[in-house]
Amino acid sequence: MKDDIDPESGHQAGINIAAALCLLRGRACEALENRTRALCWYKASLRVDPYCYEAYEHIVDNHMLSSEKEVAFLSSLKFDADDRWLSLLYSCQAKKYGQISALESKLSELEREPQKHSNVGLSLKDNNDVLACRADYLYHRGEFQLCYDITKTLLEKDPYHLKCMPLHLGAALELGRKNELFLRAHNLVQEYSQRPIAWFAVGCYYYCIRQFDHARRYFCKATTLDGAFYPAWLGFGNAYAAQDESDQAMAAYRTAARLFSGCHMPALCIGMEYLRTNNLNLAEQFFMQAKGICPTDPLVYNELGVMAYRNREYEEAARWLRKALVLVQETRNSLTLCWEPTVVNLAHTLRKLKLYPEAISMYEKALALCPRGATTYAALGFTHHLQGSTGIAIDFYHKALGLKPDDTFTAEMLTAALTEECLRPSFAKELTALH
């Protein structure tokens, strides 16, 4: 079955019937939950016609391929020379892990101002889809405020651009913007009550105000409306995990892992639940599974480091945590607040290895990211205490207790440090000199 050909350009005009049939078969297989077969048909649709965007959207939004497989598949698609912008847009909409630097150059090319006598400039700087890609890129870098600013501007310009809505809600949740979440959820429920994004927004609001029972109820409603809505499954599991209900959380994560085989986050979350319940062998299996799907996510290496620390394998823990920070710093010039726990984890590990100067340096770096970290001040004081610098340790213990007065460990260590300082021989001489 052949399509009409535009006599002037020589290009196909209208819909490619073969690609449309492949797309419909893919949607039918997906409705029957035969996702493997659906993926085959979607890929066939794109091979016949790389401009069949709906097939590509199903593959990306439903996480049918891992990051590496997405890159390989995109490189196999044949676009016309004049349609390089579409190839770039496809690449920018794919998974971001492991190709942050490449994505920066692709986004810059899409946003470049047009040049005279050249087709290099594409003048898509204000295009909504390109802005959504830029926001997604920033979200993966942990720059939630910049992501939030872009998505807010985009939604003010186009309130019906629902593709960027999960990003906006996620960034608002990370920033604790409960008023924004409430207003956005209220408007979405009024306008899109039969869409999963509306009830996902309600769930995000309740999650933000820590009413997890209500949150999981609305996340569950979102998954009922659309069983392939990935953010709601993760939110559903996270709401259970926040209340230490591991069995229900892992049931949600396992469903997500089955539905979205190309995404590593469900496996990672299952591993984190097993780690929390001290089932370290199963935790390691799922962390390694997540690492196999996405070997470039720093969070995977952070969790592997925490697991090794719990196993008292401190050298191994330090190796994993350093790897995590290297991956983070490959994507940005400096660390952001969301990576402060990883820096603290590495500092704890170095302290266990008795590498006190390095540990102190990492604690100081963590305090630069989060200046009001009471536990970090206490750990820094404890490290100085282990070195025998009781005077410096006392100062840090006082700072920790000023931020968190009910910390029993810090109070006990302060008492011990004061006792040691009073018993120090030079202390009596200093006291005599003062009198």
Side-chain angles (χ1 to χ4, degrees):
M1 198 170 341
K2 295 183 179 179
D3 299 326
D4 295 334
I5 303 296
D6 187 337
E8 294 184 4
S9 64
H11 293 161
Q12 287 182 345
I15 297 172
N16 186 308
I17 303 300
L21 287 172
C22 291
L23 170 65
L24 287 173
R25 290 189 178 195
R27 291 184 63 180
C29 290
E30 192 173 1
L32 294 170
E33 294 192 3
N34 189 343
R35 300 176 75 81
T36 303
R37 195 71 181 153
L39 173 61
C40 292
W41 285 116
Y42 290 144
K43 290 169 77 172
S45 176
L46 284 164
R47 287 195 181 100
V48 172
D49 180 10
Y51 303 95
C52 185
Y53 178 74
E54 190 175 348
Y56 177 72
E57 193 174 35
H58 276 278
I59 291 174
V60 172
D61 290 352
N62 295 336
H63 300 274
M64 291 184 162
L65 292 173
S66 66
S67 181
E68 292 178 355
K69 289 180 180 178
E70 278 184 356
V71 172
F73 179 65
L74 284 173
S75 65
S76 70
L77 298 180
K78 306 298 181 185
F79 292 93
D80 292 340
D82 292 339
D83 295 329
R84 174 171 168 74
W85 66 271
L86 185 59
S87 174
L88 292 172
L89 185 61
Y90 275 20
S91 297
C92 292
Q93 289 180 338
K95 290 185 176 64
K96 310 297 185 291
Y97 296 105
Q99 47 178 336
I100 295 292
S101 56
L103 280 169
E104 178 61 48
S105 63
K106 290 175 183 177
L107 284 169
S108 298
E109 186 173 348
L110 283 169
E111 295 167 348
R112 189 181 304 155
E113 294 296 332
Q115 301 173 5
K116 292 182 179 179
H117 312 297
S118 173
N119 60 355
V120 176
L122 300 168
S123 66
L124 292 174
K125 185 175 181 180
D126 297 322
N127 178 271
N128 289 345
D129 290 329
V130 175
L131 286 173
C133 289
R134 169 67 69 179
D136 193 17
Y137 164 76
L138 291 169
Y139 189 91
H140 280 78
R141 287 181 56 172
E143 298 183 19
F144 302 118
Q145 183 61 57
L146 291 175
C147 172
Y148 175 82
D149 292 341
I150 289 176
T151 54
K152 188 174 182 182
T153 303
L154 194 161
L155 290 169
E156 286 172 356
K157 185 169 65 170
D158 180 6
Y160 301 101
H161 197 285
L162 298 183
K163 196 172 180 67
C164 84
M165 189 64 75
L167 278 175
H168 182 70
L169 297 171
L173 181 58
E174 291 287 347
L175 297 169
R177 303 290 179 87
K178 58 185 179 182
N179 291 338
E180 169 66 16
L181 287 169
F182 177 83
L183 290 171
R184 194 67 64 178
H186 182 75
N187 292 335
L188 285 169
V189 168
Q190 281 190 325
E191 296 179 18
Y192 302 103
S193 60
Q194 296 305 310
R195 296 281 189 92
I197 187 64
W199 303 106
F200 174 72
V202 178
C204 287
Y205 167 72
Y206 281 112
Y207 194 97
C208 186
I209 62 173
R210 304 186 66 79
Q211 292 189 17
F212 300 114
D213 289 338
H214 290 83
R216 65 187 186 222
R217 184 186 310 160
Y218 290 109
F219 287 140
C220 182
K221 184 166 184 176
T223 63
T224 303
L225 288 172
D226 182 0
F229 189 61
Y230 166 74
W233 282 111
L234 274 192
F236 193 28
N238 290 345
Y240 275 116
Q243 292 185 305
D244 297 338
E245 297 187 29
S246 293
D247 292 341
Q248 293 90 333
M250 284 195 282
Y253 294 143
R254 285 194 182 98
T255 303
R258 176 175 59 83
L259 293 174
F260 313 107
S261 57
C263 183
H264 70 291
M265 285 302 297
L268 180 60
C269 290
I270 293 171
M272 291 166 75
E273 281 302 300
Y274 277 125
L275 181 62
R276 190 177 62 79
T277 55
N278 209 36
N279 194 332
L280 301 182
N281 290 331
L282 282 174
E284 183 178 13
Q285 289 180 26
F286 281 98
F287 288 149
M288 296 309 290
Q289 181 182 331
K291 179 174 173 287
I293 298 171
C294 182
T296 53
D297 183 5
L299 185 57
V300 175
Y301 295 95
N302 176 74
E303 296 305 318
L304 283 167
V306 172
M307 185 196 65
Y309 185 93
R310 295 272 291 274
N311 276 327
R312 301 178 185 274
E313 297 171 353
Y314 301 121
E315 291 185 0
E316 184 78 358
R319 185 171 69 84
W320 288 125
L321 292 166
R322 283 195 172 105
K323 173 73 172 175
L325 292 176
V326 166
L327 286 171
V328 171
Q329 290 171 322
E330 281 179 359
T331 63
R332 58 186 66 81
N333 295 327
S334 60
L335 295 170
T336 54
L337 179 61
C338 65
W339 294 109
E340 182 261 351
T342 304
V343 178
V344 173
N345 290 339
L346 179 55
H348 290 333
T349 305
L350 294 170
R351 190 192 72 225
K352 286 288 188 180
L353 292 170
K354 298 185 178 180
L355 300 173
Y356 299 130
E358 290 183 52
I360 289 169
S361 174
M362 296 308 296
Y363 283 129
E364 290 172 347
K365 188 178 289 188
L367 286 171
L369 296 172
C370 181
R372 296 185 61 81
T375 55
T376 308
Y377 277 116
L380 183 54
F382 185 56
T383 307
H384 281 290
H385 197 162
L386 291 172
Q387 281 189 305
S389 305
T390 51
I392 300 173
I394 288 167
D395 290 339
F396 285 117
Y397 289 147
H398 277 301
K399 288 179 180 178
L401 288 169
L403 294 167
K404 190 179 180 183
D406 59 344
D407 190 337
T408 54
F409 170 78
T410 307
E412 289 173 4
M413 293 312 301
L414 175 59
T415 302
L418 288 168
T419 303
E420 290 176 28
E421 185 70 7
C422 291
L423 294 175
R424 188 164 52 87
S426 59
F427 179 76
K429 294 179 182 178
E430 291 171 7
L431 195 60
T432 304
L434 286 173
H435 288 290

Short mmCIF file of all heavy atoms in Angstrom, two decimals, residues 188-228:
data_model
loop_
_atom_site.label_atom_id
_atom_site.label_comp_id
_atom_site.label_asym_id
_atom_site.label_seq_id
_atom_site.Cartn_x
_atom_site.Cartn_y
_atom_site.Cartn_z
N LEU A 188 -6.48 21.35 37.90
CA LEU A 188 -6.45 20.14 37.08
C LEU A 188 -7.68 19.26 37.32
O LEU A 188 -8.24 18.70 36.38
CB LEU A 188 -5.17 19.34 37.36
CG LEU A 188 -3.88 19.90 36.76
CD1 LEU A 188 -2.67 19.18 37.33
CD2 LEU A 188 -3.90 19.79 35.24
N VAL A 189 -8.09 19.14 38.57
CA VAL A 189 -9.27 18.32 38.87
C VAL A 189 -10.52 18.93 38.25
O VAL A 189 -11.41 18.22 37.76
CB VAL A 189 -9.44 18.15 40.40
CG1 VAL A 189 -10.79 17.55 40.74
CG2 VAL A 189 -8.33 17.27 40.95
N GLN A 190 -10.60 20.27 38.22
CA GLN A 190 -11.74 20.93 37.60
C GLN A 190 -11.78 20.72 36.09
O GLN A 190 -12.83 20.51 35.50
CB GLN A 190 -11.71 22.43 37.90
CG GLN A 190 -12.21 22.79 39.30
CD GLN A 190 -12.39 24.30 39.45
OE1 GLN A 190 -11.64 25.09 38.90
NE2 GLN A 190 -13.41 24.70 40.20
N GLU A 191 -10.60 20.75 35.46
CA GLU A 191 -10.55 20.74 34.00
C GLU A 191 -10.31 19.34 33.42
O GLU A 191 -10.73 19.06 32.30
CB GLU A 191 -9.46 21.68 33.51
CG GLU A 191 -9.72 23.15 33.86
CD GLU A 191 -8.61 24.07 33.40
OE1 GLU A 191 -7.83 23.64 32.54
OE2 GLU A 191 -8.52 25.20 33.90
N TYR A 192 -9.61 18.48 34.15
CA TYR A 192 -9.23 17.17 33.61
C TYR A 192 -9.50 16.06 34.63
O TYR A 192 -8.63 15.28 34.97
CB TYR A 192 -7.74 17.14 33.25
CG TYR A 192 -7.31 18.18 32.26
CD1 TYR A 192 -6.64 19.33 32.67
CD2 TYR A 192 -7.57 18.02 30.89
CE1 TYR A 192 -6.24 20.29 31.76
CE2 TYR A 192 -7.17 18.97 29.98
CZ TYR A 192 -6.51 20.11 30.42
OH TYR A 192 -6.12 21.04 29.51
N SER A 193 -10.73 15.99 35.10
CA SER A 193 -11.03 15.04 36.18
C SER A 193 -10.88 13.59 35.74
O SER A 193 -10.76 12.70 36.60
CB SER A 193 -12.45 15.28 36.70
OG SER A 193 -13.39 15.11 35.67
N GLN A 194 -10.87 13.32 34.43
CA GLN A 194 -10.72 11.95 33.95
C GLN A 194 -9.30 11.65 33.49
O GLN A 194 -9.04 10.58 32.93
CB GLN A 194 -11.70 11.69 32.78
CG GLN A 194 -13.16 11.77 33.19
CD GLN A 194 -13.50 10.84 34.34
OE1 GLN A 194 -13.17 9.65 34.31
NE2 GLN A 194 -14.16 11.37 35.37
N ARG A 195 -8.38 12.55 33.75
CA ARG A 195 -6.97 12.34 33.41
C ARG A 195 -6.19 11.96 34.67
O ARG A 195 -6.41 12.55 35.73
CB ARG A 195 -6.36 13.60 32.80
CG ARG A 195 -6.96 14.04 31.48
CD ARG A 195 -6.41 13.21 30.33
NE ARG A 195 -6.80 13.75 29.04
CZ ARG A 195 -6.08 14.63 28.34
NH1 ARG A 195 -4.92 15.05 28.82
NH2 ARG A 195 -6.51 15.07 27.19
N PRO A 196 -5.25 11.04 34.56
CA PRO A 196 -4.47 10.64 35.75
C PRO A 196 -3.62 11.77 36.32
O PRO A 196 -3.37 11.81 37.53
CB PRO A 196 -3.60 9.49 35.24
CG PRO A 196 -3.54 9.66 33.76
CD PRO A 196 -4.86 10.26 33.38
N ILE A 197 -3.21 12.73 35.46
CA ILE A 197 -2.35 13.81 35.94
C ILE A 197 -3.05 14.65 37.00
O ILE A 197 -2.41 15.17 37.93
CB ILE A 197 -1.89 14.70 34.76
CG1 ILE A 197 -0.85 15.73 35.20
CG2 ILE A 197 -3.07 15.38 34.10
CD1 ILE A 197 0.43 15.14 35.69
N ALA A 198 -4.38 14.77 36.93
CA ALA A 198 -5.13 15.58 37.89
C ALA A 198 -5.02 14.98 39.29
O ALA A 198 -4.71 15.67 40.27
CB ALA A 198 -6.59 15.70 37.47
N TRP A 199 -5.24 13.67 39.39
CA TRP A 199 -5.21 13.03 40.70
C TRP A 199 -3.79 12.79 41.18
O TRP A 199 -3.53 12.75 42.38
CB TRP A 199 -6.02 11.73 40.64
CG TRP A 199 -7.42 12.03 40.20
CD1 TRP A 199 -7.97 11.78 38.98
CD2 TRP A 199 -8.42 12.71 40.96
NE1 TRP A 199 -9.26 12.25 38.93
CE2 TRP A 199 -9.57 12.83 40.13
CE3 TRP A 199 -8.48 13.22 42.25
CZ2 TRP A 199 -10.73 13.43 40.56
CZ3 TRP A 199 -9.65 13.82 42.69
CH2 TRP A 199 -10.76 13.93 41.85
N PHE A 200 -2.86 12.69 40.23
CA PHE A 200 -1.45 12.66 40.61
C PHE A 200 -1.05 13.96 41.28
O PHE A 200 -0.31 13.97 42.28
CB PHE A 200 -0.58 12.41 39.37
CG PHE A 200 0.89 12.50 39.63
CD1 PHE A 200 1.56 11.51 40.34
CD2 PHE A 200 1.63 13.59 39.16
CE1 PHE A 200 2.92 11.59 40.58
CE2 PHE A 200 2.99 13.67 39.39
CZ PHE A 200 3.64 12.67 40.10
N ALA A 201 -1.55 15.08 40.76
CA ALA A 201 -1.26 16.38 41.37
C ALA A 201 -1.83 16.47 42.78
O ALA A 201 -1.17 16.99 43.69
CB ALA A 201 -1.84 17.50 40.50
N VAL A 202 -3.03 15.94 42.97
CA VAL A 202 -3.62 15.93 44.32
C VAL A 202 -2.76 15.08 45.26
O VAL A 202 -2.48 15.47 46.41
CB VAL A 202 -5.07 15.38 44.28
CG1 VAL A 202 -5.65 15.32 45.69
CG2 VAL A 202 -5.94 16.25 43.39
N GLY A 203 -2.31 13.94 44.77
CA GLY A 203 -1.43 13.09 45.57
C GLY A 203 -0.12 13.79 45.94
O GLY A 203 0.36 13.66 47.07
N CYS A 204 0.43 14.54 44.99
CA CYS A 204 1.67 15.29 45.28
C CYS A 204 1.44 16.33 46.38
O CYS A 204 2.32 16.54 47.23
CB CYS A 204 2.18 15.97 44.01
SG CYS A 204 2.91 14.86 42.81
N TYR A 205 0.30 16.99 46.33
CA TYR A 205 0.01 17.98 47.37
C TYR A 205 -0.03 17.32 48.75
O TYR A 205 0.59 17.80 49.71
CB TYR A 205 -1.31 18.69 47.07
CG TYR A 205 -1.82 19.48 48.26
CD1 TYR A 205 -1.19 20.65 48.66
CD2 TYR A 205 -2.91 19.03 49.00
CE1 TYR A 205 -1.63 21.36 49.77
CE2 TYR A 205 -3.36 19.74 50.10
CZ TYR A 205 -2.71 20.90 50.49
OH TYR A 205 -3.14 21.60 51.59
N TYR A 206 -0.77 16.23 48.87
CA TYR A 206 -0.88 15.55 50.17
C TYR A 206 0.46 14.96 50.60
O TYR A 206 0.78 14.94 51.80
CB TYR A 206 -1.97 14.48 50.13
CG TYR A 206 -3.35 15.06 50.26
CD1 TYR A 206 -4.25 15.02 49.20
CD2 TYR A 206 -3.77 15.65 51.44
CE1 TYR A 206 -5.52 15.57 49.31
CE2 TYR A 206 -5.04 16.20 51.58
CZ TYR A 206 -5.91 16.16 50.51
OH TYR A 206 -7.15 16.71 50.64
N TYR A 207 1.26 14.52 49.63
CA TYR A 207 2.60 14.02 49.96
C TYR A 207 3.46 15.16 50.51
O TYR A 207 4.22 14.98 51.47
CB TYR A 207 3.26 13.41 48.72
CG TYR A 207 4.49 12.58 49.01
CD1 TYR A 207 4.41 11.20 49.13
CD2 TYR A 207 5.74 13.18 49.16
CE1 TYR A 207 5.53 10.43 49.39
CE2 TYR A 207 6.87 12.43 49.43
CZ TYR A 207 6.75 11.06 49.55
OH TYR A 207 7.87 10.31 49.81
N CYS A 208 3.31 16.34 49.92
CA CYS A 208 4.11 17.49 50.35
C CYS A 208 3.77 17.90 51.78
O CYS A 208 4.66 18.29 52.54
CB CYS A 208 3.86 18.67 49.40
SG CYS A 208 4.90 20.11 49.70
N ILE A 209 2.49 17.79 52.16
CA ILE A 209 2.10 18.17 53.53
C ILE A 209 2.13 16.95 54.47
O ILE A 209 1.62 17.01 55.59
CB ILE A 209 0.72 18.85 53.56
CG1 ILE A 209 -0.38 17.90 53.06
CG2 ILE A 209 0.75 20.13 52.74
CD1 ILE A 209 -1.78 18.46 53.23
N ARG A 210 2.71 15.85 53.97
CA ARG A 210 2.97 14.65 54.76
C ARG A 210 1.70 13.96 55.25
O ARG A 210 1.70 13.33 56.30
CB ARG A 210 3.91 14.98 55.94
CG ARG A 210 5.21 15.62 55.50
CD ARG A 210 6.17 15.79 56.65
NE ARG A 210 6.61 14.50 57.17
CZ ARG A 210 7.55 13.73 56.62
NH1 ARG A 210 8.14 14.12 55.49
NH2 ARG A 210 7.91 12.60 57.18
N GLN A 211 0.64 14.06 54.49
CA GLN A 211 -0.56 13.27 54.76
C GLN A 211 -0.56 12.09 53.79
O GLN A 211 -1.22 12.08 52.75
CB GLN A 211 -1.82 14.13 54.61
CG GLN A 211 -1.96 15.19 55.67
CD GLN A 211 -3.31 15.88 55.64
OE1 GLN A 211 -4.28 15.38 55.05
NE2 GLN A 211 -3.39 17.04 56.27
N PHE A 212 0.25 11.09 54.16
CA PHE A 212 0.57 10.02 53.21
C PHE A 212 -0.62 9.10 52.93
O PHE A 212 -0.71 8.53 51.84
CB PHE A 212 1.76 9.23 53.73
CG PHE A 212 3.00 10.06 53.91
CD1 PHE A 212 3.53 10.28 55.16
CD2 PHE A 212 3.61 10.66 52.82
CE1 PHE A 212 4.68 11.05 55.34
CE2 PHE A 212 4.74 11.44 52.97
CZ PHE A 212 5.27 11.64 54.23
N ASP A 213 -1.54 8.95 53.89
CA ASP A 213 -2.74 8.13 53.63
C ASP A 213 -3.54 8.70 52.47
O ASP A 213 -3.98 7.97 51.58
CB ASP A 213 -3.62 8.06 54.89
CG ASP A 213 -2.99 7.22 55.98
OD1 ASP A 213 -2.14 6.38 55.65
OD2 ASP A 213 -3.35 7.40 57.16
N HIS A 214 -3.76 10.03 52.51
CA HIS A 214 -4.49 10.68 51.43
C HIS A 214 -3.68 10.64 50.12
O HIS A 214 -4.25 10.44 49.04
CB HIS A 214 -4.80 12.13 51.79
CG HIS A 214 -5.82 12.28 52.88
ND1 HIS A 214 -5.50 12.18 54.22
CD2 HIS A 214 -7.16 12.50 52.83
CE1 HIS A 214 -6.59 12.35 54.94
NE2 HIS A 214 -7.62 12.55 54.12
N ALA A 215 -2.38 10.81 50.24
CA ALA A 215 -1.54 10.83 49.04
C ALA A 215 -1.65 9.51 48.28
O ALA A 215 -1.86 9.50 47.06
CB ALA A 215 -0.09 11.09 49.44
N ARG A 216 -1.52 8.40 48.99
CA ARG A 216 -1.54 7.12 48.27
C ARG A 216 -2.94 6.82 47.71
O ARG A 216 -3.07 6.16 46.68
CB ARG A 216 -1.04 6.00 49.16
CG ARG A 216 -1.86 5.67 50.36
CD ARG A 216 -1.11 4.64 51.19
NE ARG A 216 -1.90 4.16 52.30
CZ ARG A 216 -1.43 3.97 53.52
NH1 ARG A 216 -0.16 4.23 53.78
NH2 ARG A 216 -2.18 3.49 54.48
N ARG A 217 -3.98 7.35 48.36
CA ARG A 217 -5.33 7.16 47.83
C ARG A 217 -5.45 7.80 46.45
O ARG A 217 -6.01 7.21 45.51
CB ARG A 217 -6.35 7.78 48.79
CG ARG A 217 -7.79 7.56 48.38
CD ARG A 217 -8.73 8.33 49.31
NE ARG A 217 -8.42 8.06 50.72
CZ ARG A 217 -8.81 8.85 51.70
NH1 ARG A 217 -9.48 9.97 51.43
NH2 ARG A 217 -8.51 8.56 52.96
N TYR A 218 -4.90 9.01 46.30
CA TYR A 218 -5.02 9.70 45.01
C TYR A 218 -4.01 9.19 44.00
O TYR A 218 -4.30 9.17 42.79
CB TYR A 218 -4.88 11.21 45.24
CG TYR A 218 -6.09 11.77 45.96
CD1 TYR A 218 -6.01 12.19 47.28
CD2 TYR A 218 -7.33 11.82 45.33
CE1 TYR A 218 -7.12 12.69 47.95
CE2 TYR A 218 -8.45 12.31 45.99
CZ TYR A 218 -8.34 12.74 47.30
OH TYR A 218 -9.45 13.20 47.95
N PHE A 219 -2.84 8.76 44.45
CA PHE A 219 -1.92 8.11 43.51
C PHE A 219 -2.55 6.83 42.96
O PHE A 219 -2.42 6.52 41.77
CB PHE A 219 -0.59 7.77 44.20
CG PHE A 219 0.29 8.96 44.47
CD1 PHE A 219 0.99 9.07 45.66
CD2 PHE A 219 0.43 9.97 43.53
CE1 PHE A 219 1.81 10.16 45.92
CE2 PHE A 219 1.25 11.06 43.77
CZ PHE A 219 1.95 11.16 44.97
N CYS A 220 -3.24 6.10 43.84
CA CYS A 220 -3.92 4.87 43.42
C CYS A 220 -5.01 5.19 42.39
O CYS A 220 -5.17 4.47 41.40
CB CYS A 220 -4.52 4.15 44.62
SG CYS A 220 -5.34 2.60 44.23
N LYS A 221 -5.74 6.28 42.61
CA LYS A 221 -6.78 6.67 41.65
C LYS A 221 -6.18 7.01 40.30
O LYS A 221 -6.75 6.66 39.25
CB LYS A 221 -7.57 7.87 42.20
CG LYS A 221 -8.73 8.27 41.31
CD LYS A 221 -9.69 9.21 41.99
CE LYS A 221 -10.89 9.51 41.10
NZ LYS A 221 -11.90 10.34 41.77
N ALA A 222 -5.01 7.65 40.30
CA ALA A 222 -4.33 7.97 39.03
C ALA A 222 -3.94 6.70 38.29
O ALA A 222 -4.11 6.61 37.06
CB ALA A 222 -3.10 8.83 39.31
N THR A 223 -3.44 5.70 39.01
CA THR A 223 -3.06 4.43 38.35
C THR A 223 -4.29 3.68 37.86
O THR A 223 -4.22 2.94 36.87
CB THR A 223 -2.25 3.54 39.29
OG1 THR A 223 -3.05 3.18 40.43
CG2 THR A 223 -0.98 4.22 39.76
N THR A 224 -5.42 3.86 38.53
CA THR A 224 -6.65 3.21 38.08
C THR A 224 -7.14 3.81 36.77
O THR A 224 -7.60 3.09 35.87
CB THR A 224 -7.75 3.36 39.15
OG1 THR A 224 -7.28 2.81 40.38
CG2 THR A 224 -9.02 2.63 38.73
N LEU A 225 -7.01 5.13 36.64
CA LEU A 225 -7.43 5.80 35.40
C LEU A 225 -6.51 5.45 34.24
O LEU A 225 -6.96 5.36 33.09
CB LEU A 225 -7.45 7.32 35.60
CG LEU A 225 -8.58 7.86 36.48
CD1 LEU A 225 -8.38 9.33 36.77
CD2 LEU A 225 -9.93 7.63 35.82
N ASP A 226 -5.22 5.28 34.52
CA ASP A 226 -4.26 4.92 33.47
C ASP A 226 -3.16 4.07 34.11
O ASP A 226 -2.29 4.58 34.81
CB ASP A 226 -3.66 6.18 32.84
CG ASP A 226 -2.69 5.85 31.70
OD1 ASP A 226 -2.50 4.66 31.41
OD2 ASP A 226 -2.12 6.79 31.11
N GLY A 227 -3.23 2.77 33.86
CA GLY A 227 -2.26 1.86 34.45
C GLY A 227 -0.85 2.05 33.94
O GLY A 227 0.09 1.49 34.52
N ALA A 228 -0.67 2.83 32.87
CA ALA A 228 0.67 3.06 32.31
C ALA A 228 1.20 4.45 32.66
O ALA A 228 2.11 4.95 31.99
CB ALA A 228 0.63 2.89 30.79
#
